[in-house]
């Protein structure tokens, strides 16, 4: 608590501590009126302990309450020392078989998909891991808090109800737990529990602010009050914080703390003092918050009231603890709680609490809910009694909840899940408490106000949404009651269920006809009508409706009765007057029918028909359960009027068709949405599907001709088909084109509907199929569209109430699983043989699905060399109740419709027909033929076979006179040129026709129809072959033509995209140009990268092309500068010490890199080359554009122009500077004044000379400070320079101005980003940053190559190769644009580390505290600035080599000093040779110099191994560095992985293989240096063990290890508490993958200030852990988060996959997730290669919404 920080905890009063709990308890034992005694005690002490101050002092309160208040109660309860008594109780207790672990928010819960009775049955992690379900198909979710583990509950699990821990020990499970307690104990427990529980309940439900219940009034009443602020769900955090700052004058920090507590506990005192003082605050708060709807709730409460409430909470916690010791005590408490109290209207304490629930604050609710869970719900006997109380209070509780403004998890009503899902309880509550009726009736009551004049629900927009969500929880309760399947029915249950069912029908009746629509003509609707609420209701009820049907199906009597009741209600619904119903008579094909005149396009129509649909569901069940055949006499079949049944469903179908035809365009989107949901997988089972079944049911009971005539009539097509000249009329009459098109679509839709009515048989009860067949068919049709991932399939299938689709059972039989690669996901691919079940007119296809599937299947058939006909599949048989539907196929009207359409096609007359129509007609003919064939095959000899479609289609038509037969028309069409696309299908139809004809001819005599058929097919196939050959030829010609066109197009494309192509070519060139470089003429063994014996190289002319202007340019010192787009960033990827950050960048000295490489500067590039001036004008343009855009739109971009960021114009890679391209090794040559070779000085000579030169330079400096950039004026008066050293001669800068400018540009950018400071061209640290970034980037590259186990050379991507080369050249040349004196001073200071001068002015770090590679690079690159004055003839290369040798020796000493502290376990592999002996001698010397404090090492072999492995990264980095610096090609062996790299590296770097021999050759120089190194204070303190140092080789940094099982992470995260708000659970626990720290992200509590802005915990962490870049795992979301700086971020798929190869971002599906090592490695690679920022940039460019996210608050 912020306010108490400075205050001391007041000491506990001695008087209070002196109380003896034992004595008090003894007093109580004697008492005649125990309640009075206890109350007296509490009245006196509670206000003395609690609420003594403005802020609680939890520690003191805790101690005192335990001692004075609870202590006596424990003594009393036990009758002895509680520590003894409780232990006894615990021992005697038999551990409960119920786990009952209460879930924390975010804790993982597990449910077994095989064994859980319903999905609400869950296990805690501990139980799950010890259960059998671990090996089953389980589902994992994170708990929303509340609820508990169901382990041990035999009703929750079909099998394996116990985990190993909760397995019963074999005794009888039902036994009275009281037998373990003594009589006395039972009595005492009753007494004290009764008093304590009553006290707690009375106090918590106490509403007066200034008075206490009788018996608790304090003796003297002080004027001390609290201003208590309560939480609500209306006001935001910000509002509360602002208000508090005003009202109680607190700081923002305190206000945040108050607000956080209010949010967590539901209330918090915000002011303490006298009444007036508190009331003032209250007034301000109320005034300030009343402007929005309702003011915040504030009370001014007397401190003693608050004190007693605080203790009441404590008491409830105590009770839960105490009953935890013993099942007996638990039972006693339950009894006390449920005891009816005569003086309180026979309600119990539990009732009282429940009924006050909505008035209590969050904290109090939480505690008592938990007490209920640990007592009433853990005792099987009392659980039942509690359930009864709960059910009795149900209506009131729900009413309260409706008014409550807390979420449901905070309401006692949420306990319903614990009670209603228990099968026996649910059954008991239904039969005895009529629970079903109660719930449904309560639900209806809450919706009663939302009705229209016809009694149908009508929801208003917006106003109801909030409450409506609450009402829906009732549906959830109903679901719980119904979810567990019943096995046995009793008469009582039947009665009560049917009673509930009847009320349910009333509910549906209110829904029947909701939201009716009328077609809008003329003008568009003014306001979109509300439709969502009605659909939400429908969607929520979907599972309930399905479950109702399943319950009905489980009992014949219930089913029959329900069917009757449903029919009655349906008839009631239809009895009402319907608009525009006028009787008419229809005539067609000699059939006549009386119907009504109803037009969907003119009258009201509603898409909500739940009563009809429930009825159709029950009708199917009659067939499925065979009740229809067994008890026909009991069914009200005679009351059914088929035309009436089909009427409403048909309206819905017609409405959809008309909407599709564009007739309802003016009705807006609400209708389109409704139609969408009507078909959507979430609703269709109880909407669209049931409507179709109703049509099937109706049609099966009607004359098929009549059915079709009604259909024609409702589709408003009757007149068209009844007028044979319809087609011809178009030629004469200029009919409205729109109307024509509408009619065409309506005809297509109607044909489709006929197809569905006769063809959709995959519902058990309609067709003879199993539920598996149904699912199989759905899956096949999904996979016919394309291969799909598991989750996509799940989404496409309807789920049952257990969230199961049944897919797993059948998927293997229809599809193959293809595993995912590094990206993407696993896919299911349809088995080839299953495609024959493909129906292009599958009724669940959307139009888009249909065309995609059709295209995919045609393509597949083509690939397999088959024809492209997509014939209808063979269908299963109908169940008897629906069998008559096949008669539609041979009805007159059906044939008439087919013939009419075909006629239009045969006599093509423009718009009168469409290809889709023809396709459907062919499909319909095919279906009928298949039906006939099937019937023929299954018909046995004596069956009366009447199906005769073939003979009917062969007959000519009646009208118009003598029109050709359908068959004849098909034969005509077969050769029609305009029907090429349907030729295959027509052919297939005719062929089938032939087959059937043959079958008919032989049906009486031969049973070998099939064989006959086959041979005929073969015959046809031969004919096909020739045909196909011809077609293949045509196809070839066409292909050639296309190819010609393509290459023409390609030429165009190249012209248009020239830059792209040139770039690619150039990249090819660039990558190949390195090959001759690396394969030299000189033998490999002789290749030397540096020093006087360096291999001579001849610089090739280097020509590049600018990506912006496309001009070519040679790289020369004096030409226009060419630059690479590049990105500078700070990096901690190599850091060995994340705690170290640059604290004060303005005064930080970066000259020496620490060996922990804590923070480096990395430069990368996409490798794209531009002219410097082209880039500059591009950059200026971008900047101008962005500034304009930001002013106008205030939108963000993925890059920050103000910080110099831009996107590479070619690849859009994020960049913030450019690297100039320079000719190779020119920089060193320009300082090399040696003209002739005049002997090579040895190290000691050279060093002496160099030191001399430095001294002279220093003296000049001291004399002429500040004039050093013009040394000609600063002639060394009085200072004698050695011969050949001319400090007054200034080297001429060879570079063109534009190159010089670019050198400065990059240097400044590196300085600015690397140190995070403002630009300053004059800062002397600029050159250091250039060398440092070069060294760091090379080191990072070397590390990465090692980790990837790639050879050092020849395996870098070409862009990285180019970048390193340019970067090294740049760093080497930078001295030419810096002040010489500055560089010279840096060189002197760098060298001083090695010389370890006792020059006290410079304080060089000890050799333990310098990264030697950084030192080497800086020394080598700054040396030319000194050497440029040297005219003695000694070459630059000599100095470089000496520097290299010197640093190398220092590094070896560093390695030996640091490695010796660790014990090493290697076995010596060979005897000591020369190197080993030398290493031993060297080490002994070091021991001696350092004062023998180093460990003794007996083995030279070990030492030599240390040196070799420790120095390798340095040698490899050096090889890269000198290669890029001097351009010497690399031996081929170094471009491959091989065993002798150490030797090869030494040779290439001009080092002796025996590195130790360097010490021998240069002993005169190195011996004194070594002595000085070892004497330094730091080294001394290290060898004495007083400090640590980095040892070598440094291990590579990896991302943290992640567990294989994702639930481990969830569990870890659920235990994680917010570090700032005292033990609160974090809402978005987020794991840093770099260092493993868990953070409380995206939350107010953990925001901190960073550079003047509030940032979330993740952003803050990136600054300390990753220099602004971070990789996190958001554990609850299962999502990787990349952050860079404050404004950049993106999400990235997590490395966790389920068994189907899919990630689960958001953890929505709950499949078990396991770590995919490859993907994690990929993530790590991104990080190691410094590509996180680049990845974010690309993600943000691809998805603009990412730019808008407030990343800094994560
Ligand atoms: Zn458990
Ligand atoms: Zn368990
Ligand atoms: Zn299981
Ligand atoms: Zn250019
Ligand atoms: Zn690029
Ligand atoms: Zn971290
Ligand atoms: Zn926090």
């Amino acid at each position: 608590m912020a306010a108490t920080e400075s205050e001391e905890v007041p000491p506990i009063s001695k008087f209070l501590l002196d109380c003896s709990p034992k004595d008090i308890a003894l007093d109580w034992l004697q008492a005649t009126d125990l309640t009075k005694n206890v109350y007296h005690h509490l009245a006196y002490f509670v206000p003395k302990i609690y609420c003594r101050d403005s802020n609680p002092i939890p520690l003191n309160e805790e101690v005192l309450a335990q001692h004075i208040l609870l202590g006596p109660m424990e003594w009393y309860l036990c009758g002895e020392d509680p520590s003894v008594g409780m232990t006894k109780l615990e021992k005697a207790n038999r551990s409960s078989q119920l786990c009952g672990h209460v879930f924390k928010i975010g804790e993982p819960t597990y449910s077994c998909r095989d064994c859980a009775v319903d999905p609400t049955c869950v296990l805690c992690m501990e139980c799950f891991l010890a259960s059998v379900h671990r090996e089953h198909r389980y589902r994992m979710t994170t708990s929303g808090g509340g609820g508990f583990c169901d382990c041990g509950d035999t009703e929750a699990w079909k099998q394996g109800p116990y985990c190993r821990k909760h397995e019963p020990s074999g005794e009888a499970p039902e036994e009275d737990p009281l037998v373990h307690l003594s009589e006395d104990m039972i009595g005492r427990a009753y007494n004290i529990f009764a008093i304590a529980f009553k006290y707690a309940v009375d106090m918590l439900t106490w509403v007066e602010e200034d008075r206490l219940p009788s018996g608790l009034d304090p003796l003297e009443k002080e004027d001390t009050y609290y201003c208590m602020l309560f939480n609500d769900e209306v006001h935001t955090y910000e509002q509360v914080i602002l208000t508090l700052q005003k009202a109680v004058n607190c700081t923002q920090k305190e206000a945040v703390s108050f607000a956080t507590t209010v949010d967590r506990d539901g209330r918090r005192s915000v002011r303490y003092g006298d009444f007036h003082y508190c009331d003032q605050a209250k007034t301000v708060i109320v005034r300030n918050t009343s402007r929005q709807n309702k003011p915040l709730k504030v009370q001014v409460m007397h401190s003693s009231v608050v004190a007693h409430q605080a203790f009441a909470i404590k008491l409830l916690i105590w009770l839960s603890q105490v009953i935890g010791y013993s099942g007996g005590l638990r039972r006693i408490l339950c009894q006390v709680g449920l005891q009816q109290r005569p003086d309180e209207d026979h309600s119990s304490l539990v009732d009282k609490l429940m009924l006050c629930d909505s008035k209590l604050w969050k904290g109090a609710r939480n505690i008592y809910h938990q007490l209920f869970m640990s007592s009433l719900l853990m005792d099987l006997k009392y659980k039942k009694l509690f359930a009864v109380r709960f059910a009795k209070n149900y209506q009131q509780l729900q009413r309260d909840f409706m008014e409550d403004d807390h979420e449901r998890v905070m309401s006692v009503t949420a306990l319903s899940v614990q009670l209603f899902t228990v099968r026996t309880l649910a059954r008991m509550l239904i039969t005895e408490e009529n629970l079903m009726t109660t719930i449904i009736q309560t639900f209806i009551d809450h919706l009663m106000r939302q009705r229209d004049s016809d009694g149908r629900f009508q929801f208003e927009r917006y106003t109801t949404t909030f409450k409506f969500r609450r009402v829906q929880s009732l549906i959830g309760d109903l679901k719980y009651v119904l979810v567990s399947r019943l096995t046995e029915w009793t008469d009582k249950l039947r009665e009560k269920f049917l009673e509930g069912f009847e009320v349910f029908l009333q509910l549906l009746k209110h829904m029947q006809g909701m939201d009716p629509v009328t077609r809008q003509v003329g003008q568009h609707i003014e306001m979109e009508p509300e439709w969502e609420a009605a659909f939400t209701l429908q969607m929520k009820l979907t599972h309930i409706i399905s479950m109702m049907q399943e319950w009905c199906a489980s009992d014949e009597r219930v089913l029959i009765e329900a069917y009757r009741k449903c029919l009655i209600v349906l008839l009631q619904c239809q009895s009402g007057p319907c608009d525009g119903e006028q009787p008419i008579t229809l005539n067609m094909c000699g059939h006549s029918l009386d119907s009504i005149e109803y037009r969907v396009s003119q009258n009201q129509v509603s898409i909500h028909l739940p009563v009809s649909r429930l009825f159709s569901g029950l009708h199917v069940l009659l067939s499925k359960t065979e009740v229809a055949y067994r008890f026909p006499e009991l069914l009200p079949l005679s009351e059914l009027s088929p035309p009436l049944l089909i009427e409403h469903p048909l309206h819905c179908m017609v409405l959809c068709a008309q909407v599709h035809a564009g007739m309802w365009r003016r009705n807006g989107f609400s209708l389109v949405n409704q139609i969408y949901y009507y078909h959507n997988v979430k609703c269709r089972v109880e909407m669209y599907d049931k409507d179709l079944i109703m049509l099937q049911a109706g049609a099966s009971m009607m004359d098929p001709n009549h059915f079709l005539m009604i259909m024609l009539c409702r589709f408003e097509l009757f007149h068209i088909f009844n007028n044979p000249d319809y087609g011809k009329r178009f030629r004469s009459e200029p009919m409205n084109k729109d109307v024509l098109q509408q009619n065409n679509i309506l005809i297509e839709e109607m044909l489709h509907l006929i197809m569905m009515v006769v063809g959709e048989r995959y519902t058990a009860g309609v067709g003879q199929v199993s539920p598996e067949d149904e699912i199989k068919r759905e899956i096949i049709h999904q996979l016919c569209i394309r291969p799909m991932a598991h989750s996509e399939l799940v989404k496409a299938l309807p789920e049952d109430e257990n969230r199961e689709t049944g897919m797993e059972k059948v998927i293997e039989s229809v599809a193959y699983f293809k595993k995912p690669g590094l990206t993407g996901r696993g896919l299911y691919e349809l088995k080839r043989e299953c495609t024959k079940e493909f129906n292009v007119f599958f009724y669940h296809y959307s139009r888009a699905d249909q065309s995609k599937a059709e295209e995919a299947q045609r393509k597949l058939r083509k690939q397999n060399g088959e024809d492209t006909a997509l014939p209808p599949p063979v269908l299963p048989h109908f169940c008897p109740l629906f069998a008559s539907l096949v008669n539609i196929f041979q009805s007159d009207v059906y044939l008439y419709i087919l013939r009419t359409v075909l006629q239009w096609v045969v006599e093509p007359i423009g718009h009168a027909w469409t290809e889709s129509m023809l396709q459907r007609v062919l499909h319909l003919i095919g279906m009928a033929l298949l039906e006939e064939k099937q019937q023929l095959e299954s018909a046995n000899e004596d069956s009366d076979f009447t199906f005769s479609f073939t003979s009917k289609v062969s007959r000519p038509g009646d009208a118009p006179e003598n029109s050709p037969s359908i068959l004849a028309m098909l034969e005509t069409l077969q050769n029609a040129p305009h029907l090429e696309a349907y030729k295959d299908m027509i052919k297939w139809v005719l062929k089938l026709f032939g087959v059937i004809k043959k079958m008919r001819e032989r049906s009486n005599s031969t049973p070998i129809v099939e064989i006959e058929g086959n041979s005929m097919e073969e015959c046809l196939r031969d004919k096909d072959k020739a045909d196909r050959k011809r077609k293949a030829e045509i196809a070839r010609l066409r292909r050639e033509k296309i190819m010609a066109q393509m290459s023409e197009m390609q030429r165009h494309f190249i012209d248009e995209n020239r830059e792209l192509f040139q770039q690619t070519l150039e990249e090819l060139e660039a990558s190949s140009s390195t090959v001759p470089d690396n394969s030299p003429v000189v033998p490999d063994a002789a290749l030397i990268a540096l020093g006087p014996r360096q291999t001579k190289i001849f610089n090739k002319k280097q020509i590049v092309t600018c990506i912006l202007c496309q001009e070519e340019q040679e790289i020369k010192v004096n030409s226009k500068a060419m630059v690479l787009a590049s990105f500078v960033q700070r990096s901690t990827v190599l850091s060995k010490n994340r705690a170290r950050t640059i604290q004060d960048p303005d005064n930080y000295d970066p000259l020496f890199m620490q060996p922990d490489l804590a923070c480096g500067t990395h430069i990368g590039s996409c490798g794209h080359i531009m002219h410097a001036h082209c880039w500059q004008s591009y950059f200026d343009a971008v900047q101008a554009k962005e500034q304009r855009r930001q002013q106008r739109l205030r939108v963000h971009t993925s890059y920050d122009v103000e910080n110099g960021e831009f996107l590479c114009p070619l690849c859009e890679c994020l960049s913030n500077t450019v690297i100039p391209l320079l000719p190779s090794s020119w920089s060193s040559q320009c300082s090399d004044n040696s003209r002739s070779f005049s002997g090579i000085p040895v190290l000691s000579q050279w060093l002496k000379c160099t030191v001399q030169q430095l001294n002279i330079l220093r003296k000049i400096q001291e004399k002429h400070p500040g004039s050093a950039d013009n040394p000609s004026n600063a002639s060394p008066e009085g200072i004698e320079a050695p011969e050949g050293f001319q400090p007054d001669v200034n080297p001429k800068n060879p570079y063109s101005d534009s190159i010089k400018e670019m050198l400065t540009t990059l240097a400044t950018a590196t300085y600015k980003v690397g140190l995070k400071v403002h630009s300053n061209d004059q800062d002397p640290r600029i050159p250091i940053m250039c060398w440092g970034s070069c060294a760091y980037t090379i080191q990072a590259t070397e590390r990465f190559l090692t980790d990837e186990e790639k050879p050092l050379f020849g395996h870098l991507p070409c862009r990285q190769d180019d970048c390193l080369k340019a970067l090294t050249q740049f760093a080497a040349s930078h001295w030419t644009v810096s002040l010489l004196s500055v560089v010279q001073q840096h060189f002197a200071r760098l060298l001083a580390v090695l010389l370890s001068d006792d020059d006290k002015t410079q304080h060089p770090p000890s050799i333990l505290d310098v990264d030697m590679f950084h030192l080497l690079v800086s020394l080598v690159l700054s040396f030319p600035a000194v050497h440029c004055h040297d005219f003695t003839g000694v070459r630059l290369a000599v100095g470089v080599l000496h520097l290299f040798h010197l640093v190398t020796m220092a590094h070896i000493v560093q390695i030996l000093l640091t490695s010796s502290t660790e014990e090493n376990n290697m076995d010596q592999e060979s005897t000591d040779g020369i190197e080993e002996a030398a290493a031993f001698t060297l080490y002994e010397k070091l021991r001696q110099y350092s004062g023998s404090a180093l460990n003794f090492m007996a083995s030279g072999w070990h030492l030599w191994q240390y040196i070799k492995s420790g120095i390798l990264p340095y040698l490899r980095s050096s090889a890269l560095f000198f290669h890029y610096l001097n351009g010497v090609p690399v031996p081929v062996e170094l471009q491959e992985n091989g065993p002798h790299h150490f030797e090869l590296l030494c040779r290439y770097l001009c080092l002796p293989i025996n590195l130790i021999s360097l010490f021998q050759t240069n002993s005169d120089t190195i011996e004194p240096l070594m002595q000085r190194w070892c004497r330094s204070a730091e080294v001394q303190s290290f060898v004495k063990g007083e400090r640590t140092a980095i040892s070598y080789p440094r291990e590579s940094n990896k991302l943290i290890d992640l567990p294989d099982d994702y639930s481990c992470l969830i569990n870890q995260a659920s235990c994680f508490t917010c570090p700032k708000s005292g033990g609160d659970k974090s809402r978005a626990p987020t794991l840093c993958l770099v260092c493993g720290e868990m953070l409380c992200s995206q939350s107010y509590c953990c925001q901190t200030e960073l550079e003047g802005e509030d940032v979330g915990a993740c952003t803050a962490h990136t600054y300390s852990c990753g220099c602004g870049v971070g990789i996190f795992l958001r554990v609850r979301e299962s999502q990787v988060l990349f952050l860079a700086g404050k404004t950049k971020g993106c999400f990235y798929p997590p490395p966790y996959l389920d068994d189907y190869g899919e990630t689960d971002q958001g953890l929505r599906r709950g499949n078990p997730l396991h770590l995919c090592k490859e993907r994690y490695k990929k993530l790590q690679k991104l990080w190691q290669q410094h590509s996180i920022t680049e990845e974010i940039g690309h993600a943000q460019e691809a998805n603009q919404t990412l730019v808008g996210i407030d990343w800094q608050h994560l």
Side-chain angles (χ1 to χ4, degrees), residues 1096-1108:
K1096 286 271 170 302
I1097 44 150
F1098 303 97
N1099 285 325
K1100 271 193 355 190
K1101 210 161 111 173
Q1102 209 185 340
I1103 296 172
V1104 292
T1105 311
C1106 168
I1107 57 166
L1108 286 169

Side-chain angles (χ1 to χ4, degrees), residues 358-597:
S358 66
K359 293 183 192 71
L360 295 182
W361 67 99
K362 246 187 195 174
R365 291 192 200 189
N366 243 332
I367 298 298
Y368 99 78
H369 292 170
Q370 286 195 10
L371 179 65
F372 277 15
M373 281 194 246
S374 58
S375 56
L376 297 164
L377 297 182
M378 290 284 282
D379 187 301
L380 291 177
K381 181 176 160 195
Y382 279 91
K383 190 175 187 176
K384 209 162 152 185
L385 294 176
F386 175 58
V388 171
R389 299 309 309 162
F390 189 82
K392 282 201 193 300
N393 291 325
Y394 188 81
Q395 236 168 337
Q396 184 58 46
L397 292 180
Q398 290 299 340
R399 222 171 282 151
D400 292 346
F401 172 63
M402 233 48 78
E403 299 308 319
D404 187 5
D405 68 355
H406 285 72
E407 288 297 319
R408 184 165 147 94
V409 278
M410 289 315 304
S411 163
V412 72
T413 55
L415 286 182
S416 60
V417 63
Q418 311 297 349
L419 303 169
F420 296 168
T421 53
V422 182
R423 194 191 316 167
T424 50
L425 283 187
R427 247 181 94 157
M428 186 259 299
L429 293 174
I430 291 175
T431 50
E432 280 161 35
E433 299 299 325
N434 210 358
L435 181 64
M436 235 178 101
T437 312
T438 310
I439 297 177
I440 302 168
Q441 193 58 57
T442 313
F443 184 64
I444 296 177
D445 290 349
H446 282 297
L447 293 180
M448 270 327 241
R449 256 179 288 158
Q450 322 279 337
R451 283 185 310 161
D452 65 7
S453 52
D454 294 327
R456 295 174 301 211
F457 290 138
Q458 188 177 39
F459 301 100
E460 290 153 36
R461 192 186 301 229
Y462 308 125
T463 50
T464 50
T465 43
F466 181 63
K467 287 281 157 66
F468 190 49
R469 210 155 52 88
R470 295 191 165 246
V471 181
Q472 286 163 23
S473 65
L474 283 155
I475 303 180
D477 284 352
L478 186 55
K479 194 164 146 184
Y480 294 146
V481 173
L482 295 173
V483 79
S484 56
R485 223 48 101 245
L486 274 176
T487 43
E488 280 168 48
W489 287 83
T490 61
D491 284 347
K492 186 86 186 284
L493 185 62
R494 283 190 188 98
E495 182 199 319
K496 292 296 176 185
F497 173 80
L498 284 168
E499 199 182 320
F501 184 79
E502 222 171 321
V503 186
F504 188 65
L505 281 172
Q506 291 307 313
L507 171 66
L508 297 189
K509 196 177 155 192
H510 291 305
M511 294 167 65
Q512 182 95 349
M514 284 190 295
D515 291 351
V517 285
T518 314
R519 183 172 164 231
Q520 196 81 10
V521 279
Q523 67 192 55
H524 201 274
I525 44 157
E526 278 169 21
M527 210 179 71
E528 295 277 348
E530 161 65 31
W531 62 274
E532 283 169 63
F535 259 91
T536 310
L537 186 59
Q538 169 68 37
M539 242 184 257
K540 295 273 169 190
L541 283 178
T542 295
H543 284 154
I544 305 280
I545 298 172
S546 301
M547 282 190 279
M548 285 283 186
Q549 292 171 30
E550 277 162 37
W551 275 59
C552 292
S554 67
D555 186 73
E556 289 156 356
R557 279 161 62 191
V558 171
L559 178 60
I560 293 168
E561 204 48 44
Y563 188 74
R564 273 178 188 286
K565 285 182 192 294
C566 193
L567 180 62
I568 293 168
V569 175
L570 182 61
L571 292 174
Q572 284 170 0
C573 289
Q574 289 175 337
S575 66
C578 199
D579 295 337
E581 280 180 12
Q582 276 160 29
I584 50 162
T585 305
L586 304 170
N587 289 299
M588 190 178 264
C589 307
H591 298 272
S592 171
L593 166 75
D594 286 333
S595 180
I596 46 157
E597 167 88 48

Side-chain angles (χ1 to χ4, degrees), residues 124-243:
C124 65
M125 186 167 178
E126 214 173 299
C127 289
F128 171 73
L129 291 179
S131 74
V132 289
H133 312 296
R134 210 182 159 168
E135 311 298 324
H136 302 174
R137 297 180 314 142
Y138 64 88
R139 187 176 271 140
M140 170 191 76
T141 39
T142 53
S143 169
F148 57 77
C149 173
D150 288 307
C151 183
D153 183 349
T154 45
E155 282 197 51
W157 308 97
K158 289 177 210 152
Q159 52 157 315
Y162 309 104
C163 72
R164 283 195 299 280
K165 204 176 79 188
H166 295 109
E167 196 123 35
S169 41
E171 298 165 51
E174 277 295 330
E175 138 184 308
D176 191 346
L178 291 178
V179 299
H180 297 289
L181 302 180
S182 70
E183 282 299 323
D184 276 0
M185 179 81 158
I186 293 174
R188 286 197 308 271
Y190 265 117
N191 291 342
I192 196 71
F193 283 179
I195 295 169
F197 203 0
K198 180 173 182 317
Y199 164 82
V201 173
D202 286 350
M203 269 333 296
L204 291 183
T205 56
W206 190 250
V207 287
E208 291 187 62
E209 301 170 12
D210 203 8
R211 218 173 56 83
L212 281 167
S214 65
L216 290 174
D217 286 317
L219 299 176
E220 73 263 32
K221 203 170 144 195
E222 297 161 42
D223 187 11
T224 48
Y225 286 85
Y226 284 100
C227 177
M228 189 69 79
L229 176 65
F230 289 80
N231 127 293
D232 68 13
E233 317 258 316
V234 182
H235 294 89
T236 64
Y237 236 81
E238 284 84 358
Q239 284 170 337
V240 174
I241 290 168
L242 269 173
T243 307

Side-chain angles (χ1 to χ4, degrees), residues 1618-1621 1626 1640-1641 1643-1647:
C1618 165
K1620 292 219 175 143
S1621 47
S1626 168
C1640 172
S1641 169
S1643 167
Y1644 252 102
C1645 48
C1646 287
Q1647 280 194 1

